[in-house]
């Protein structure tokens, strides 16, 4: 199940390269603490872009439906957010500079 779920996560991440409104995406793992199931974080321009990506037809919706139908994971950690204020940069860019 973990490999199946991870494969789905990688498919979703690969599909995000040209998504309108996506500022950046990262996956974090913590060797020795969280080795198998990392956490993902995505920064978005606005709520509409987040919702369109998450729930419109596409790879994410396909994998979300698959997860619900097949119970491919015991828990998940995906954080979608948009910045309201910023101090400094995230990976060298300003997440509010659209």
């Amino acid at each position: 199940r973990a490999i199946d779920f991870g494969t789905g996560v990688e498919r979703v991440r690969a599909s995000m390269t040209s998504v309108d409104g996506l500022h950046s995406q990262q996956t974090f793992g913590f060797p020795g603490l969280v080795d198998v199931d990392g956490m993902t974080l995505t920064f978005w321009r606005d709520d509409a872009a987040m919702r369109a990506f998450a729930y419109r037809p596409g790879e994410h919706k396909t994998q979300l439906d698959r997860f619900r139908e097949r119970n491919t994971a015991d828990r998940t950690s995906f954080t979608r957010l948009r910045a309201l204020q910023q101090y400094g940069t995230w990976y060298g860019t300003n997440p509010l500079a659209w």
Side-chain angles (χ1 to χ4, degrees):
R1 286 184 331 139
I3 292 170
D4 181 69
F5 184 79
T7 299
V9 170
E10 288 305 313
R11 288 181 180 158
V12 171
R13 293 197 69 215
S15 76
M16 297 176 79
T17 57
S18 63
V19 172
D20 181 48
L22 178 66
H23 178 270
S24 63
Q25 62 168 312
Q26 287 78 40
T27 298
F28 299 97
F30 302 92
L33 184 60
V34 179
D35 290 325
V36 177
D37 52 351
M39 295 172 282
T40 67
L41 173 73
T42 53
F43 276 104
W44 295 89
R45 174 185 60 224
D46 53 38
D47 292 341
M50 281 192 291
R51 282 191 305 272
F53 167 75
Y55 304 113
R56 67 167 168 72
E59 191 62 41
H60 182 268
K61 176 126 176 42
T62 298
Q63 294 301 325
L64 185 61
D65 292 345
R66 192 168 186 279
F67 162 74
R68 289 178 177 150
E69 291 169 10
R70 298 185 183 186
N71 192 29
T72 55
D74 293 330
R75 65 184 182 279
T76 62
S77 178
F78 299 98
T79 302
R80 292 186 300 265
L81 62 95
R82 68 179 176 94
L84 300 176
Q85 295 181 27
Q86 59 81 217
Y87 303 94
T89 61
W90 182 263
Y91 284 88
T93 62
N94 176 349
L96 296 178
W98 292 97

